[in-house]
Amino acid sequence: MTILEERWRGVLDGMAEAERLAGRAKGSVRLVAVSKFHPASDIAELRRLGQLDFGENYVQEARAKQEALAGLGIRWHAIGPVQTNKAKDVAGRFHLLHTLDRAELARALLRRLPAGETQDVLLQVNIGEEAQKSGVAPSALAALCEEMLEGGLVSSEGPGLRLRGLMCLPPRCGEGEAARPYFEKLRLLRDELSVRFGLPLPELSMGMSGDYRQAVEEGSTMIRVGTDIFGPRPVKA
Ligand SMILES: *Cc1c(COP(=O)(O)O)cnc(C)c1O
């Protein structure tokens, strides 16, 4: 077994254990392997072992890997901030966009999405209300949701942008147990939105290498794990 396979199996085991401890059904959480800065060959190796979902932060890097690995049936997740002028490289090209955080981006994505197609999206919430982080502030979430629903920018069914749930990236210092309150807060925000707008919102994208166990216990449906699978990220040249 390669070290990569060993680490990947370790995360799958950790995830299964967290599901069990939380009394959740086995397989209720999806593992998104975050492969940013790691070579396409690592992705191909994990794909052969059965890993389906991969997350990338940078649109150009993701598009290059999509091209290099076309035909492997990978589900690509866009998990980094998206500049409005990059909408054309995202719309219709990812299984799920985790980082929709403004109406302007929704409009740009819609303009670029081929007619009749559906692009699944999550709203990114700046759950720690950090100045430097992207995402909509918790206090502005309901208003943004209302604006986008009323404006026909998102819907629960598609075609167009189909809103599937929420995503967060808690403050960096908040790993492990310290991240738990943020995960709980995201879940409660989801529950509130869901009731208020009558939307299903089944997905919660939360949990990374340092805190995915806590995220699973707090209701995550998708964990985004990089370092624990691929090792430390190579520094970008
Ligand atoms: C890099 C990144 C991850 C993975 O982080 P690790 O700590 O390496 O597991 C998850 N989510 C987002 C948004 C990221 O940018």
Side-chain angles (χ1 to χ4, degrees):
M1 212 191 287
T2 63
I3 179 91
L4 180 60
E5 176 171 359
E6 207 169 296
R7 287 205 204 95
W8 173 70
R9 291 198 185 282
V11 173
L12 288 178
D13 289 348
M15 199 169 84
E17 173 76 358
E19 283 173 342
R20 196 184 59 76
L21 287 174
R24 299 182 58 189
K26 191 165 164 42
S28 48
V29 184
R30 228 195 297 177
L31 173 60
V32 177
V34 176
S35 44
K36 62 179 179 237
F37 301 174
H38 291 286
S41 54
D42 282 2
I43 300 175
E45 179 180 342
L46 290 184
R47 179 67 194 98
R48 278 192 300 275
L49 295 169
Q51 174 65 32
L52 252 185
D53 295 275
F54 290 87
E56 288 281 341
N57 286 62
Y58 303 95
V59 174
Q60 290 329 113
E61 182 183 351
R63 298 282 291 128
K65 286 172 173 170
Q66 286 178 339
E67 225 168 88
L69 299 169
L72 298 187
I74 289 172
R75 291 200 294 228
W76 294 100
H77 296 248
I79 65 168
V82 177
Q83 291 172 277
T84 306
N85 64 10
K86 294 273 167 58
K88 64 175 185 309
D89 293 311
V90 173
R93 302 183 186 278
F94 287 83
H95 176 68
L96 180 64
L97 167 66
H98 292 229
T99 53
L100 180 61
D101 62 356
R102 59 199 192 277
E104 181 202 24
L105 178 59
R107 266 183 227 106
L109 289 166
L110 264 185
R111 271 199 302 276
R112 297 296 189 159
L113 190 66
E117 281 191 21
T118 298
Q119 171 68 62
D120 283 344
V121 298
L122 304 179
L123 288 177
Q124 180 177 2
V125 181
N126 184 356
I127 203 75
E129 307 191 50
E130 296 169 280
Q132 75 284 10
K133 243 181 217 161
S134 45
V136 56
S139 59
L141 177 62
L144 177 63
C145 202
E146 183 167 22
E147 178 189 358
M148 295 206 293
L149 285 166
E150 303 227 313
L153 300 178
V154 301
S155 70
S156 59
E157 281 164 8
L161 304 183
R162 185 167 70 141
L163 184 55
R164 301 290 294 159
L166 304 181
M167 175 271 208
C168 78
L169 191 62
R172 247 311 172 193
C173 55
E175 285 199 2
E177 281 305 318
R180 186 187 292 276
Y182 297 106
F183 297 146
E184 183 187 16
K185 186 170 174 191
L186 194 73
R187 170 165 49 78
L188 294 173
L189 281 171
R190 186 276 308 272
D191 295 347
E192 261 174 56
L193 272 194
S194 185
V195 169
R196 178 156 172 181
F197 297 107
L199 292 169
L201 302 179
E203 305 286 358
L204 285 175
S205 168
M206 55 189 199
M208 302 166 45
S209 290
D211 53 27
Y212 69 83
R213 290 173 185 80
Q214 288 82 8
V216 168
E217 288 172 22
E218 295 301 328
S220 174
T221 62
M222 262 181 252
I223 58 173
R224 310 177 309 267
V225 179
T227 310
D228 276 8
I229 297 175
F230 294 98
R233 279 182 276 283
V235 179
K236 231 185 181 180

